[in-house]
Amino acid sequence: MAFIEASTPHTMNTYGRVPIALERGEGVYVWDVNGKRYLDALAGIAVNTLGHNHPKFVPAIQDQVAKLIHTSNYYHVPHQETLAAKLVELSGMTNVFFCSTGLEANEAALKLARKYGHDKGIARPEIVVYERAFHGRSIATLSATGNEKVQKGFGPLVEGFIRVPMNDVDALRKATDGNSNVVAVFFETIQGEGGINPMRMDYLKKVRELCDQRGWLLMIDEVQCGMGRTGKWFAHQWAGIVPDVMPLAKGLGSGVPIGAVVAGPKAADIFQPGNHGTTFGGNPLAMRAGVETIRIMEEDGLLENASRVGGHLKERLAREIGGQKGVKEIRGHGLMVGIELDRPCAVLTQRAADAGLLISVTADTVVRLLPPLIMKEAEAEEVVAILAPLIKAFLAE
């Protein structure tokens, strides 16, 4: 079967797609409908934690599909409690709300913050957000996002946000001093769509202290950088802090749509029956996917693997292209790596696919690598062997 159309006539024109159609996968590789093989260094944008067709994951999902896929939250879902208990254990927090996407998890976090403010008598709660952040494409999460390009055409945006630069505690203090309406600070530990931009560990600790001093919620979006991608369960754990609210999604279900909001004591009881809900969230299939993902990650040592293979990948990239004129920085943590160039480089997505490698370019100038956490060092070498010559050739144009 040949696939040659760049788009189809019946789906909305919302994606600038690479003109390939993928049919099957095995480990860190996928094949298109024409039989061409690609090394998957994107993992469905940090979703396919266990790669493709994992021998432990697939039978568990097949078993669940044969039992129950969906029931609704009118009834208890046993695997909800199992997965919630595991996330509480891993995070050091207390309670979990399940939804279906990262956008929904972030939307729920924003609602939690506003309700937290209203419960304290604040009529117009305000939330601190960050330059270059990305939290989703609903009207509220779009408003929290720091990207004018994706906001354009969707005004008026939701009010109640104060925007500050990353890693500047003085700017945070200056933007909020004397403002009694502030209820929360909301950020990604490592900005994903914004270009793989990490928060500094000392900054994270200072923001935690400031939130404690001023009675704010510390809300950390771990949708892209969480679930073991950096070598710890959640990227903020490298700083030794615990947030009050933590949205999760992407890698938690290894490809089955899932979202979660994990809350600590300050936020766990804000929502009461009728305040928030979801039709699909917490369904039996998604919950089983989350339970099995974490079980396999623990059994197979995937956090340690992400640290080791990610370190190797960065080291090899630095050796091959680190000194190249036009390469501004190679950054990230674990298997979340960004290569920033000094010019827009969107064409590299297609060129890499032509060479048998799946990547993305984000923030116009950053090549983003988010491979499955099962990647081996030899496969990381293969990424570098394909990508480094492409970048060198592009910069020489």
Side-chain angles (χ1 to χ4, degrees):
M1 170 186 173
F3 184 85
I4 52 172
E5 288 186 78
S7 62
T8 58
H10 304 301
T11 57
M12 282 193 185
N13 185 29
T14 49
Y15 303 105
R17 288 187 165 118
V18 177
I20 57 176
L22 301 174
E23 186 175 52
R24 64 187 179 89
E26 188 78 35
V28 298
Y29 297 97
V30 289
W31 285 260
D32 68 18
V33 293
N34 299 314
K36 180 177 176 176
R37 189 181 82 160
Y38 304 82
L39 176 54
D40 184 1
L42 189 60
I45 318 177
V47 167
N48 299 310
T49 301
L50 305 175
H52 305 278
N53 194 26
H54 193 284
K56 295 179 184 176
F57 185 69
V58 171
I61 296 305
Q62 289 172 329
D63 173 71
Q64 187 59 49
V65 167
K67 290 176 177 173
L68 275 176
I69 295 174
H70 179 81
T71 55
S72 100
N73 286 297
Y74 282 143
Y75 319 107
H76 288 282
V77 180
H79 275 115
Q80 268 192 31
E81 187 52 45
T82 305
L83 183 55
K86 193 67 191 177
L87 289 173
V88 163
E89 174 197 327
L90 298 176
S91 66
M93 298 168 78
T94 59
N95 295 78
V96 186
F97 170 82
F98 290 109
C99 49
S100 299
T101 66
L103 177 155
E104 290 174 69
N106 285 333
E107 187 89 16
L110 298 176
K111 285 182 68 175
L112 272 173
R114 284 196 169 188
K115 183 76 165 50
Y116 175 73
H118 281 281
D119 289 349
K120 296 206 302 183
I122 299 170
R124 300 179 71 83
E126 294 184 79
I127 300 165
V128 176
V129 292
Y130 284 75
E131 294 173 359
R132 296 186 292 183
F134 183 88
H135 298 294
R137 295 177 185 273
S138 68
I139 292 296
T141 56
L142 189 70
S143 302
T145 288
N147 184 331
E148 289 182 5
K149 194 162 70 172
V150 299
Q151 291 171 335
K152 190 175 180 182
F154 297 105
L157 299 175
V158 174
E159 61 179 25
F161 295 106
I162 300 167
R163 197 167 307 283
V164 299
M166 292 179 70
N167 293 317
D168 185 342
V169 76
D170 291 333
L172 173 58
R173 287 181 183 276
K174 187 176 176 183
T176 57
D177 278 346
N179 186 344
S180 59
N181 289 330
V182 177
V183 293
V185 179
F186 186 37
F187 58 80
E188 304 150 90
T189 317
I190 303 173
Q191 292 181 339
E193 303 301 315
I196 316 296
N197 305 311
M199 292 286 188
R200 290 200 311 264
M201 297 300 111
D202 63 321
Y203 181 77
L204 293 175
K205 291 174 183 174
K206 286 174 183 172
V207 177
R208 173 72 275 181
E209 288 171 12
L210 195 60
C211 287
D212 290 339
Q213 289 166 10
R214 299 191 177 181
W216 302 339
L217 295 177
L218 176 60
M219 309 201 304
I220 302 185
D221 175 351
E222 290 272 351
V223 168
Q224 189 166 139
C225 58
M227 291 315 300
R229 183 146 292 280
T230 66
K232 286 194 183 288
W233 286 105
F234 314 111
H236 67 263
Q237 290 178 327
W238 289 101
I241 62 168
V242 180
D244 300 305
V245 179
M246 178 177 66
L248 296 173
K250 288 191 183 289
L252 179 55
S254 296
V256 176
I258 186 171
V261 183
V262 189
K266 271 167 76 173
D269 298 320
I270 294 171
F271 282 162
Q272 294 297 313
N275 288 152
H276 198 58
T278 167
T279 298
F280 290 104
N283 68 72
L285 179 61
M287 296 300 94
R288 182 74 183 271
V291 168
E292 299 294 341
T293 295
I294 293 173
R295 176 182 69 83
I296 295 163
M297 288 177 72
E298 289 181 324
E299 284 181 5
D300 294 0
L302 293 189
L303 269 66
E304 187 278 331
N305 190 70
S307 270
R308 183 172 47 79
V309 177
H312 183 75
L313 177 60
K314 269 181 74 180
E315 180 190 315
R316 291 288 292 110
L317 285 167
R319 200 182 311 165
E320 289 296 320
I321 58 171
Q324 189 81 23
K325 189 181 178 190
V327 176
K328 289 178 74 174
E329 190 178 13
I330 299 169
R331 58 179 177 261
H333 210 139
L335 285 172
M336 185 173 189
V337 177
I339 306 160
E340 185 176 2
L341 306 184
D342 66 355
R343 66 202 74 172
C345 57
V347 295
L348 287 173
T349 303
Q350 180 66 62
R351 292 182 189 180
D354 291 342
L357 177 68
L358 302 185
I359 61 165
S360 77
V361 169
T362 192
D364 295 328
T365 59
V366 181
V367 175
R368 176 172 54 167
L369 303 174
L370 301 163
L373 303 193
I374 61 166
M375 177 170 271
K376 299 181 176 74
E377 287 188 5
E379 294 156 346
E381 291 278 353
E382 191 180 342
V383 171
V384 177
I386 297 171
L387 185 58
L390 290 175
I391 290 174
K392 287 177 183 175
F394 170 73
L395 293 172
E397 288 174 5

